[in-house]
Every structure is written in C-alpha cells, then in structure tokens.
Amino acid sequence: MKRYVYINDDNLAKDIYCDNRISNRKYTILNFLPKNIWEQFSRFMNQYFLLIACLQLWSLITPVNPASTWGPLILIFAVSSSKEAWDDYNRYLSDKKANEKEIWILRQGIRKLIQAQDICIGNIVWLRENDEVPCDLVLLGTADPQGFCYVETAALDGETDLKTRSIPSACMGIDVDLLHKIKGVIECPSPNKDIRRFDANMRLFPPFLDNDIFPLTIKNTLLQSCYLRNTEWACGVAVYTGNQTKLGMCRGIAEPKLTAVDAMIDKLTGAIFVFQIVVVIVLGIAGNVFKDKEGRKLWYVQYPKEGPWYELLVIPLRFELLCSIMIPISIKVSLDLAKSLYAKFIDWDVEMVDPETGIRSNAANQAISEDLGQVEYILTDKTGTLTENKMIFKRCCISGRFYGNESGDALTDAQLLNAVSTGSADVILFLKVMAICNTVIPVRSKSGTISYKALSQDEEALVCAAARLRMVLENKNGNILGKECPWWLGNAKAGNFSSCQKEQMKLFFLLPVLVRTLAEAVEQYAQLGLRTLCLAWRKLEEDEYQEWTSMFKEANSTLVDRERRVAEVCQRLERDFEILGVAAIEDRLQEGVPETIEILRKAGINFWMLTGDKMSTAIQIALSCNFVSPEPKGQLLIIDGKTEDEVCRSLERVLLTTRITESESKQDVAFVVDGWALEIALKHYRKPFTELAILSRTAICCRVTPSQKAQLVELLKLGDYRTLAIGDGGNDVRMIQQADIGVGISGREGLQAARAADYSIGKFRFLKRLILVHGRYSYNRTAFLSQYSFYKSLLICFIQIFFSFISGISGTSLFNTVSLMAYNVFYTSVPVLFSVLDKDLSERTVMQHPQILFDCQSGRLLNPSTFAGWFGRSLFHAIVVFVITIHSYAFEKSEMEEVAMVAVSGCIWLQAFVVALETNSFTIFQHLAIWGNLVGFYAINWIVSSIPTSGMYTIMFRLCEQPSYWITMILIVATGMCPVLALKYLRYTYRPSRINILQQAECFHSSGIIEPKSRSSLEKDLPSDSVYEPLLSESPSATRRSVGPAQRSDSFQSQSPPDSTHTRKDN
C-alpha cells in the first residue's frame, strides 16, 4: 500500500493517520490485572500451583490450611507483578517526557510551539541545532545554501559518526520565507521498519513547480530520535508519526533465550512431577485398601458406611496436595533474583572498564549469565573486534612504483613526497581519487581547521592521508579539493553503495589488474596483514554522461524495486576502468587479543573468525591472533571453488585430511573458506560441512555476508553446541542475535552491535574475564541453587510421606500451615540466596587455569547424576529426621504439634550445615545468612508461640527448656552430616578433582600449577554416562564430540538441512 502525504495540509490526514503520540507501554490501569494474571498463568508451573491451591479449598481433601499454598503463591505473583508494573511505569514516564516535548511547526506563515504528540501528518516541523527529531520527516529546507545538514543517528542505528542529509532537488532554491507556502504531495510506502531505505516521490504544486515528479531517498529524510548537528536550522514535512515511525516499527521485545541450565531444570522438574504422580497413585491405592480393611475397624475413626461416588479419589487427592511441595514453588523467583545479581556483578566489575574510553561492561540480558560458563564456540568478527579499527594509511603502489616499503610509512617516503611536489600526473590522479570517492563529511571549525566524519574508517584514513599529501577535501560542494577546480564526477561517486555494489566494485577493480607488479603489491600487502584497496578511474564523455543521467533519474523515480534498477544503471557506468594503483591500510590488533584467544582455547573453546576481508589478509590476522598454530604444529586447509564440483572436491579433500589428522591428534587443524564456496557448501553439501565444522577447532571464513554469519551460527546450534557471537558493527547484528549468547563491542563503528547484544564490553580482551570468571561462577552458583531448592522441598515432603505410614495412610499432614509457609518463604530461602557470593576458587586461580572450564561445559555440576545425589541426600536426611524425632518424642505423650516442631527444627539445622558444607568461601554476609537465619527461626517461632490463637501456643518455649530437644538436634545433625562429611573427605583425599587440587594449592599458598592432562586421564575423571561426555578429546588442545561414523560415499550428495540427528542437548 501507498501513503499520500499532502504538504502543509494536516486536515486531510487527521482522520486517516495516527498522531505523534508515542506509547511503549505494555499495560494500562484497566487491563494490568487481567493481562498480567493471564501472562503469569500461561506458564505450566504456575498453572500447576494454581490447581493445587484451588484443590486445597476443598475442605474434604485438604490436609493443611489453604493458606500454606495460597500465601507463597500470592507472594511470588505479587513480586513478579510489582516488577512488571515498575518497568511499565518507567516506560510510561519515558513516553510522557517524549510526548510533551515542545516542538516548533510552521502553520499559515507563523511558527507555533506545540507538544510533540500533537504533530500531524503533513505538518512542517522546524528544527534548530541540537534538536531531537520528533517524527520521520522529509527535508524541505536547511540553513546551508547547498541544502545540506548533518545528523547524529546513534539513537537509531548506534553509529556515532555524523551523516549528511540533503533537501530534494525539487526544493533547491526556494527562499526560506516561502517555505510555509509550499504545497504538494509525497507518495511514499506504508510504514515499515527499514531504516536504510525510503523510496518515495514528491510533486510540488504551482507556483513552485509544475507537478514534476522528483525521487526521494533515505538521504532526504530525518528519522525520529536523530539529532540535528552543525546546522543552524532545518525544516521538513512529517510523513510517519507516533508508533508508525521507522524507529517505532523497529521496537519490539526480543524472544527470551533458554539456557542449558534452564532446560535441565525443566527436565528435572518433569521427572519429579512423574515421580510425584507415581507416589500419589501408590499411596492413594494403599490408603484406600487400608481404609477398607483396617480403617473401618477402628472405632475412633468413624468412617461412614456409604460414601459419595468420589470417595476413592479423596485419599489420592490428599496425597497429591501433600506431595505438591516436591516441586519448589519459589525456585523461579530465587533463580530470577540470583540471575539479576549475576548481571549486576558484570555491570559493577571495575576490571572490565576500558581505561581509554571509560566504557563499562553491561549485561542487557539478565537471564543467561550461566550460559557464559558453557560456551563451546566463539564466532568473532575481525575488524573492530579483534583489531582496533583505527585505520592508518601505510603503503601504496602507484603505476608500478612502491612507496613506503623501506620506511614502513608511505606518508614519510621521500620519493612519494617528491612526486607530489613535482606534480607527477599519476600520483596526483591517484590522490584525487583517494580524496573524492568516499562518503566522508568535512567539518570546518570556527578556527578554520578541517576535521572529517566518516561511516567507514578506511575512507577516513584515505582522505586524511590525501590531505597530508596536500590533496585536501574542503567541503561537499562539488568536492573542491584544495585549489583544484570542482570535480563533479567525484561528487557523483561519493554516495552510499549497497553491500552488493561494494563487492561488485571491488571485484571489478581487481579483474583488470593484469600488470604483474600490481598483483604482487596486492599479495604482498595482504601477507603483511594490511587492508588492500585498488583505485581506478574512467573519463566520461559529455554525451555518455547525459544519457546515463537520464537513465539514473528514471530508475531512481520508481517506487517498485528501486534499489535493483539503480544498481543495473550504475553497472552501465562501472566498466573499462583504468587501474591507478593499490593502497594499503593498517588496522592493528587490540591489546591482549592473542593472549585472550590462547587462554580461551586452553579452556576448550573453539574459535571461528568471520570476516569480509580477503583470504590472505584473514589468514595473516588469524596467525597473529593465535587462532591456529604456525606450521608444523598447525595446518591450514583451504576450501575453494566457483562451481559445485570444485567445492565438492575441495571439501572432500579437506574433510578426509581432517579425519586422519583428528584420529592421530598430531596437529592443530583449521580450515579456510571464502564466501562463494561457503554458499555452495551450505546449500548443497551441508552434512559433510557440518561434520567438518565439528571436527575442526578453528575456522576462518572470508568474504562472508551478514546472512552467512547468521547461518553458520545456526549450523553450530543445530549441532548441539553453545555458541557465542561477538562483533562491533551493524553487519554483525544478525549473527549476535542468532547465537545463544551475543556480545557486542562498543567500538568505533558505533553502538549498533552493543545494543543488539546480550552483553556489551569495551574491548575483546574482557571476553576472557566475562567467560572464565563471571560465566563459570554463575554456572556453579546456579547449579547449587537449583538443586538445593529441590533438596529442601523433597526433604519436607519425604517426612510427610513417612508420617503417613504411622497415620493410617490417610494423607494427614504432620506440619501445620504456619510451619509450611515459613519453611518455603523464610527458613530455607535466605541462606541459599547468599550463595551468589560463593567462589570455589579465587579469580586469579581461575584465570591461570582455564582448563577447569571443562566441568562447566560438560555440565558436571547439574545433570541427572548430580541431581540423583541431592535426591538421595534429601531421602537420607528425611529418614534421619523422622526416625530420630519419632523415637525421641512419640513415646512421651507429646502433642503432634511438638513432634512437628522438632522435625522442622531438625530440617532447619541440617540445611544450615548443608549450606555451610557446600560453601567454598565465607564472607560476613554468608555467616549472617546461615547462622542468623537459624537464630531467626527461633525468634519467629517464639513470637508465634506467644500467640494463644496460633495453634502453637507455648510449644517452642517448652521445647527449648527441655535438654532432650537440644540433644535431639545434635543427634540429627551428627547422624545426617557425618556420612556426607565422610564421603566428601574420601573423595577429596583419594579421588580429588582438578578443582579440589587447586583448592588444596590455594589453602597451602602454593602456585597450584597443573599440567594439562592427557585425553585418557581427563576421561577417567569424567563418568562414562553420556551426560558427562567430554567436550574435548584431548585436554586442552584437541577436540570435538564425535558425530558418529560418516560414509564418505554419500556424504557429498546434495543435502537438505540437518534433520533431527542434530539436536540440541541441554546439559
């Protein structure tokens, strides 16, 4: 559909299009409760607990007061709802501030001040320097005589450099005093979220122009949330308003990412639910049998002779309610709170602050910190991510003559300086092309000095180099160069090109390079790791230029497929170039990049470099970064070819070599592939390419597009691996969003990648600390917190089940409502939340021994086996508490409330010692949480025991006065903890893990250096269960998980995308 905007006539649009009111709110006052409740109960666990709470309202079957479930349920929902309400309120305040901002508009020749929310389609909006653009505008006039203005788009696309915008050719020459009289119509597309494209047409009504059609592009627009810079004023007509602006259409909530830990918790919850159903069925049947055979004989029970039709369901439903606490109701809130703290630790980490820029690390996604500790693949961009993205013009080759080879800097090369001073025609023409063909914006200060703003650091380096060689780009008015005459053709070529056009132009420039010297120059510079660019030119005749201009105007006026038609017209001009020379630009590696990659490779993480550079440059950078060892330790295998057959043969050869090398484990193998061969491999030979990806620890992908980067991430995710993608530019956004974890670097290319990422950092070297310290600690803490939550719930539930065997299997609860509520909410939650401060090893030790990350990658701390250990511990402790409590108090004519309180006390004491035993590093906060919680338990119960109507009146006072109570507590703790301590001691002494050895080394103030283990010794540490399947077949330099035998004969048949054989396994 099309939209017609009538300039300076808002009455025609008021009833058709929306106003400029912005609303990012999720709720309103009226729909908050119903909408939020619906969202809360759309989750299975919440539905389950709601069902349990509703069943407890049935007095015939409930063994406890309904408040025992409704209380925690309401509390948890209240916490979640409050958080949602607070976030939505902050969005409301932000919207209110934007909507009530005062804006100048032109109406009937008068500038009026109105609120931004009152702007309508067709209004002419007047902006002053540094004003924020309130909606999407088409420029009509600026303070610049040539119709240019400068805008900052950082809030829109994250790019920090200024961009130039210009008024349409239809508005050129219109006096500022006549702008309020402009009438016309703009034909534009319906609202869309493409911030880089605006294909529209403008017609101005007489007397300005006689209905001629003029094309409009994104260069003629000012988009919402941009800022007007270095321009006194500008005005434009509103074409998109409110939530229909391009920025408004881009807004949305990203899909939540499911971590491996969350997936495992879901599986364990499902297993517990199945176990619970089995227990309920067995006890329900046993209870009904006991009631019919023995219960009716007991005179004091008084069962009715005939019950209702649902009588057989009463006892099973009682046990369902009784066993419902097997699934901890507070686990989600506890994990969410812990994950929020993990994210804050990343934000607060002073060691991850870039000293140059002051940029701090930031965790935008608070839900996936533990996944950082399970990363297996890192896919990284090169320019700006591994390198500084500070381009420096170093060398060049002009007409076969090399400059800068001896001194290492062409700008100080005496021969080049002499050629410039003597006016060498070839050199001057080379410098002209360097200075003209770009999108650089020259900005002149009040003192007269010129600085440059550029979207591309390469272009800025070339223009600055030309300026130092006295070919100065002064302004964009025809690209006047120093004292040179206007070079209009250069200005025509200074526009933005699509990525497709850029690649075509690079290829076209290279093809005519038949001169051996220039070819050698390109190869020589690439081998040095320099970025190479060939410069060429062509002289146009006037007739050819006029013909081309006519075709260009026609293609640029169409609203359908404009980009393709413009590209076709441009190709007519881009031919028969004469090569002038080759420029070489240096982009240095960031500080600490090789060391960071080396350490992370020792941690078992595999690296893929995805870059748009040529192959030789990428290989040189990879060797410099320690991506792959130099020969003979390392081996680079190249996949190339332009046809399916060539790629098939190359891929088959590389895969065969990799299989042989992998089986012998003698070399560090990496493969290199360019974008063309990669496209064919992903389309026709996906299965063998997937096998190669799994077998190789390192890959270098050259000349890849943003979509190919995302495809490679998806390929590894389908192969059952946790991926992390890191980049710094807008072309990395798709890759970052596709990965399990996205990391953006706040670099010179802007903030677009950082804003799209889950985490943002200032430099690549901080990735080491992000993974090894924050990721590992988060995984360890979450593994303990989640399993402990199940442990404490199973402990109290097992005691209830044991009690049913001495209460006629009737489903009677041993504990009262207050005890059950306080047990889940207060008694057991506070100590474990402070486990977020626990550190099994110091940060220094973790950084020195990266191989300990293997345990996290293989899921050794959270899996069915470790959960079975916690399950067994809860069962054992339940037996200890129940047996000792019953034998201590059952024969003393005690009240059931007293027995219940003794049992609860035993549970609290046991859990205090369990948390203390599992804590590796104590702080004052943890001591207060563990032992202070124990004191709080008695304080709460003393208060409750002093209330006559509580049902526990004087019970705690009487128990504390009895020596037998304290002896029982000591006996419970000793019996419950001694076997656990003994097992821990035996394992720590006779079968210590890598972590235990390092802990011992820290205790004895030793360096604790551990030599990397061999494959066999490493696998001995890991159980044979597939859950513990080692990620590395050789510590730390070998390996991938086997994908099973592959038949060479059919591997290279055309393959569809991987089927269910490549599925994710969540550790």
Side-chain angles (χ1 to χ4, degrees):
M1 293 180 61
K2 298 179 182 178
R3 166 175 290 196
Y4 293 93
V5 177
Y6 292 89
I7 303 173
N8 215 1
D9 193 351
D10 55 353
N11 292 325
L12 295 175
K14 276 186 177 180
D15 298 331
I16 303 176
Y17 306 122
C18 68
D19 58 18
N20 199 41
R21 186 184 303 273
I22 298 172
S23 179
N24 295 306
R25 296 177 62 188
K26 187 177 180 180
Y27 306 102
T28 65
I29 295 178
L30 295 178
N31 72 8
F32 174 75
L33 279 178
K35 189 174 182 178
N36 185 259
I37 290 174
W38 175 262
E39 290 177 352
Q40 295 275 8
F41 288 110
S42 63
R43 302 165 187 156
F44 172 75
M45 287 187 66
N46 290 348
Q47 294 173 4
Y48 169 77
F49 288 120
L50 179 64
L51 176 62
I52 296 299
C54 291
L55 287 175
Q56 285 188 343
L57 296 176
W58 189 3
S59 59
L60 181 64
I61 65 172
T62 182
V64 294
N65 192 303
S68 63
T69 299
W70 281 104
L73 190 65
I74 292 174
L75 177 63
I76 290 171
F77 284 174
V79 171
S80 299
S81 299
S82 299
K83 181 179 181 298
E84 287 282 338
W86 178 253
D87 291 342
D88 204 55
Y89 179 68
N90 287 329
R91 287 192 289 268
Y92 162 74
L93 293 180
S94 177
D95 292 344
K96 186 173 184 291
K97 181 179 179 180
N99 289 330
E100 295 180 355
K101 184 178 293 186
E102 293 186 334
I103 301 294
W104 290 98
I105 66 168
L106 282 177
R107 185 174 291 169
Q108 298 177 353
I110 302 174
R111 278 193 286 174
K112 295 183 178 180
L113 199 62
I114 65 172
Q115 291 186 346
Q117 62 187 357
D118 296 327
I119 296 175
C120 297
I121 297 293
N123 283 158
I124 297 179
V125 179
W126 188 278
L127 301 173
R128 295 170 296 183
E129 185 175 5
N130 297 324
D131 277 354
E132 182 181 3
V133 182
C135 59
D136 290 352
L137 307 175
V138 168
L139 274 172
L140 297 179
T142 71
D144 184 78
Q146 302 300 320
F148 290 102
C149 69
Y150 303 105
V151 293
E152 178 187 297
T153 63
L156 184 68
D157 56 17
E159 296 178 0
T160 53
D161 291 313
L162 297 183
K163 294 184 177 67
T164 181
R165 294 292 184 260
S166 61
I167 64 176
S169 56
C171 300
M172 293 293 294
I174 298 179
D175 191 83
V176 60
D177 296 328
L178 299 177
L179 287 175
H180 69 280
K181 297 182 178 180
I182 285 183
K183 293 286 185 178
V185 62
I186 297 174
E187 182 185 9
C188 58
S190 297
N192 60 78
K193 59 183 179 181
D194 190 348
I195 62 173
R196 303 191 182 279
R197 187 171 180 175
F198 180 72
D199 297 336
N201 289 324
M202 170 189 281
R203 285 189 297 116
L204 295 183
F205 300 152
F208 295 96
L209 287 170
D210 193 10
N211 286 321
D212 283 347
I213 296 178
F214 292 87
L216 301 176
T217 68
I218 197 68
K219 299 281 288 184
N220 306 125
T221 64
L222 299 178
L223 301 185
Q224 185 187 44
S225 294
C226 296
Y227 285 85
L228 186 67
R229 303 295 191 199
N230 298 341
T231 306
E232 184 179 350
W233 62 265
C235 68
V237 57
V239 290
Y240 301 127
T241 52
N243 287 346
Q244 293 184 349
T245 62
K246 290 186 177 291
L247 179 62
M249 299 291 285
C250 288
R251 293 190 185 102
I253 301 175
E255 293 185 6
K257 295 181 177 180
L258 182 67
T259 67
V261 170
D262 288 336
M264 179 55 67
I265 291 173
D266 289 345
K267 292 179 181 179
L268 296 177
T269 302
I272 289 295
F273 179 73
V274 172
F275 173 74
Q276 173 188 315
I277 296 299
V278 172
V279 170
V280 167
I281 293 174
V282 171
L283 291 179
I285 295 173
N288 282 317
V289 171
F290 181 85
K291 181 181 72 172
D292 292 337
K293 290 188 176 181
E294 301 294 336
R296 297 187 188 278
K297 299 177 182 179
L298 303 176
W299 61 270
Y300 53 84
V301 178
Q302 297 182 352
Y303 282 115
K305 293 182 178 180
E306 292 185 4
W309 60 270
Y310 52 79
E311 182 180 12
L312 291 176
L313 298 177
V314 171
I315 292 179
L317 288 175
R318 282 181 181 174
F319 278 110
E320 173 61 34
L321 298 179
L322 206 63
C323 296
S324 63
I325 57 174
M326 279 189 182
I327 300 176
I329 192 173
S330 61
I331 186 171
K332 184 181 182 300
V333 173
S334 299
L335 288 176
D336 286 348
L337 180 58
K339 290 180 179 183
S340 298
L341 290 173
Y342 301 156
K344 289 300 179 184
F345 293 156
I346 295 174
D347 295 343
W348 296 334
D349 193 340
V350 294
E351 295 189 35
M352 293 176 63
V353 178
D354 185 2
E356 295 181 10
T357 61
I359 295 174
R360 305 182 69 93
S361 57
N362 177 58
N365 190 337
Q366 298 184 351
I368 62 172
S369 295
E370 64 271 22
D371 249 7
L372 286 167
Q374 295 192 284
V375 170
E376 299 165 88
Y377 275 89
I378 292 179
L379 298 96
T380 175
D381 177 43
K382 183 185 76 68
T383 305
T385 303
L386 301 177
T387 62
E388 293 181 345
N389 203 16
K390 295 179 181 179
M391 307 300 178
I392 303 174
F393 181 82
K394 279 293 183 181
R395 306 187 185 194
C396 63
C397 178
I398 306 174
S399 298
R401 184 182 294 274
F402 287 87
Y403 298 101
N405 277 13
E406 295 181 1
S407 62
D409 186 359
L411 297 178
T412 60
D413 190 298
Q415 293 183 348
L416 180 60
L417 295 176
N418 183 60
V420 172
S421 61
T422 57
S424 170
D426 291 341
V427 174
I428 295 300
L429 185 56
F430 182 87
L431 295 178
K432 281 182 181 179
V433 174
M434 276 177 56
I436 292 175
C437 297
N438 53 65
T439 59
V440 174
I441 301 172
V443 178
R444 187 183 295 273
S445 65
K446 294 181 180 180
S447 62
T449 59
I450 298 175
S451 60
Y452 297 109
K453 297 290 185 180
L455 298 179
S456 167
Q457 305 301 324
D458 297 272
E459 291 183 348
E460 183 180 359
L462 292 173
V463 172
C464 289
R468 288 187 58 182
L469 295 172
R470 294 186 290 178
M471 188 66 66
V472 182
L473 176 63
E474 291 187 343
N475 58 55
K476 279 295 182 180
N477 179 17
N479 286 352
I480 297 176
L481 310 176
K483 297 180 180 179
E484 298 289 327
C485 296
W487 190 285
W488 179 250
L489 177 59
N491 189 47
K493 297 295 293 180
N496 284 324
F497 294 98
S498 66
S499 59
C500 179
Q501 284 177 292
K502 287 179 180 178
E503 293 300 324
Q504 290 173 346
M505 290 180 69
K506 289 176 184 175
L507 292 173
F508 193 84
F509 291 163
L510 287 173
L511 287 176
V513 183
L514 301 177
V515 181
R516 186 180 184 88
T517 306
L518 290 178
E520 290 175 352
V522 172
E523 188 62 27
Q524 176 186 337
Y525 294 153
Q527 290 293 338
L528 294 173
L530 302 177
R531 299 165 64 88
T532 58
L533 178 70
C534 291
L535 279 69
W537 82 301
R538 174 176 171 234
K539 185 176 181 180
L540 291 180
E541 299 297 334
E542 181 68 24
D543 294 342
E544 182 183 5
Y545 178 71
Q546 292 299 333
E547 180 184 358
W548 179 85
T549 302
S550 175
M551 296 172 62
F552 183 81
K553 182 177 180 181
E554 180 183 353
N556 208 29
S557 300
T558 182
L559 294 180
V560 180
D561 208 10
R562 176 185 291 183
E563 188 174 350
R564 182 186 62 80
R565 293 188 61 181
V566 169
E568 290 176 351
V569 173
C570 288
Q571 285 181 355
R572 291 176 172 268
L573 199 65
E574 294 162 0
R575 57 183 176 81
D576 301 332
F577 282 106
E578 178 184 343
I579 298 297
L580 297 174
V582 180
I585 297 174
E586 181 186 52
D587 186 13
R588 296 174 183 172
L589 286 178
Q590 291 182 23
E591 178 187 351
V593 167
E595 296 80 5
T596 298
I597 293 175
E598 182 179 5
I599 288 176
L600 292 178
R601 279 170 58 84
K602 287 181 179 179
I605 297 175
N606 303 282
F607 275 87
W608 284 35
M609 183 169 73
L610 315 179
T611 177
D613 282 343
K614 62 179 302 181
M615 186 176 294
S616 52
T617 303
I619 291 174
Q620 184 62 36
I621 294 297
L623 291 171
S624 303
C625 291
N626 290 331
F627 265 87
V628 62
S629 305
E631 294 183 353
K633 292 183 178 180
Q635 183 179 8
L636 281 174
L637 305 174
I638 297 177
I639 302 172
D640 54 13
K642 298 299 182 182
T643 65
E644 290 185 27
D645 291 338
E646 292 176 353
V647 173
C648 177
R649 287 193 297 270
S650 180
L651 180 57
E652 184 178 11
R653 172 181 52 80
V654 170
L655 182 55
L656 179 61
T657 305
T658 304
R659 286 172 181 164
I660 296 172
T661 308
E662 176 68 17
S663 63
E664 297 176 352
S665 299
K666 293 181 178 179
Q667 284 185 310
D668 184 12
V669 179
F671 72 87
V672 185
V673 61
D674 63 15
W676 188 273
L678 178 64
E679 185 73 22
I680 296 174
L682 290 176
K683 185 175 182 181
H684 300 286
Y685 306 106
R686 197 179 184 98
K687 185 176 179 180
F689 185 80
T690 301
E691 182 183 354
L692 177 64
I694 294 172
L695 290 175
S696 302
R697 292 206 65 201
T698 305
I700 303 169
C701 303
C702 317
R703 298 295 193 195
V704 292
T705 63
S707 61
Q708 286 177 326
K709 292 182 179 182
Q711 288 177 41
L712 290 172
V713 173
E714 182 63 24
L715 181 77
L716 293 173
K717 288 174 65 177
L718 291 174
D720 193 23
Y721 299 101
R722 287 281 148 181
T723 59
L724 181 150
I726 179 170
D728 74 315
N731 61 334
D732 302 316
V733 169
R734 291 184 63 180
M735 171 180 72
I736 287 172
Q737 292 177 334
Q738 184 67 47
D740 294 306
I741 304 167
V743 179
I745 292 182
S746 303
R748 291 171 63 85
E749 287 191 30
L751 302 174
Q752 197 169 357
R755 287 178 174 174
D758 302 303
Y759 300 93
S760 62
I761 55 179
K763 288 288 187 291
F764 183 86
R765 66 177 183 271
F766 298 140
L767 187 64
K768 172 177 60 177
R769 183 172 177 83
L770 184 68
I771 292 175
L772 295 180
V773 175
H774 292 287
R776 184 177 174 278
Y777 284 159
S778 297
Y779 172 78
N780 290 353
R781 294 161 179 169
T782 303
F784 168 70
L785 174 59
S786 56
Q787 292 177 113
Y788 174 84
S789 297
F790 282 103
Y791 159 80
K792 67 184 182 67
S793 296
L794 288 168
L795 173 61
I796 203 78
C797 186
F798 281 140
I799 294 175
Q800 294 273 49
I801 293 173
F802 296 151
F803 179 72
S804 69
F805 290 107
I806 64 171
S807 61
I809 319 181
S810 59
T812 303
S813 175
L814 172 63
F815 305 106
N816 59 37
T817 302
V818 176
S819 296
L820 286 176
M821 286 180 60
Y823 179 84
N824 277 317
V825 178
F826 301 110
Y827 299 158
T828 58
S829 295
V830 175
V832 74
L833 285 177
F834 281 87
S835 66
V836 297
L837 302 175
D838 188 37
K839 297 179 180 180
D840 60 340
L841 294 169
S842 67
E843 295 179 4
R844 179 181 178 184
T845 302
V846 170
M847 299 291 276
Q848 288 178 343
H849 304 282
Q851 63 268 29
I852 60 177
L853 192 68
F854 297 164
D855 292 342
C856 299
Q857 292 172 324
S858 57
R860 294 192 67 184
L861 299 184
L862 178 61
N863 53 66
S865 181
T866 58
F867 183 77
W870 282 94
F871 185 91
R873 185 185 296 191
S874 65
L875 180 59
F876 170 66
H877 283 171
I879 294 172
V880 170
V881 171
F882 181 76
V883 171
I884 293 178
T885 299
I886 293 300
H887 283 78
S888 300
Y889 279 85
F891 302 104
E892 295 185 4
K893 297 181 180 180
S894 303
E895 298 178 15
M896 194 170 81
E897 291 291 347
E898 286 188 29
V899 176
M901 183 53 65
V902 174
V904 170
S905 301
C907 292
I908 302 303
W909 276 91
L910 269 179
Q911 288 170 55
F913 279 91
V914 166
V915 174
L917 181 64
E918 298 296 332
T919 300
N920 296 285
S921 59
F922 282 97
T923 65
I924 184 63
F925 300 107
Q926 287 159 300
H927 279 297
L928 288 174
I930 295 171
W931 312 118
N933 182 74
L934 204 56
V935 174
F937 164 73
Y938 284 100
I940 292 173
N941 280 282
W942 283 334
I943 294 172
V944 175
S945 295
S946 64
I947 302 173
T949 59
S950 65
M952 296 173 56
Y953 188 54
T954 72
I955 287 179
M956 184 54 76
F957 296 111
R958 283 183 279 141
L959 286 175
C960 290
E961 292 173 354
Q962 301 171 10
S964 59
Y965 171 78
W966 299 106
I967 294 173
T968 302
M969 294 301 104
I970 294 173
L971 190 59
I972 288 174
V973 171
T975 308
M977 295 306 298
C978 282
V980 177
L981 283 169
L983 288 173
K984 200 173 185 71
Y985 173 78
L986 290 173
R987 182 169 182 178
Y988 193 82
T989 305
Y990 299 105
R991 282 198 62 189
S993 65
R994 293 180 295 272
I995 308 300
N996 299 147
I997 297 173
L998 287 171
Q999 288 172 334
Q1000 293 177 32
E1002 285 188 341
C1003 290
F1004 291 107
H1005 304 283
S1006 173
S1007 61
I1009 301 298
I1010 300 177
E1011 293 298 328
K1013 297 188 178 182
S1014 65
R1015 175 175 181 172
S1016 58
S1017 62
L1018 184 63
E1019 291 183 343
K1020 286 180 181 178
D1021 283 348
L1022 299 173
S1024 59
D1025 192 315
S1026 61
V1027 175
Y1028 290 122
E1029 183 181 13
L1031 299 183
L1032 301 177
S1033 59
E1034 219 177 309
S1035 161
S1037 62
T1039 98
R1040 297 311 308 152
R1041 279 178 273 188
S1042 174
V1043 295
Q1047 297 298 325
R1048 180 179 173 184
S1049 59
D1050 56 20
S1051 290
F1052 290 89
Q1053 296 175 359
S1054 294
Q1055 301 291 337
S1056 58
D1059 55 19
S1060 59
T1061 57
H1062 294 285
T1063 57
R1064 176 171 299 286
K1065 177 177 69 180
D1066 296 291
N1067 294 317

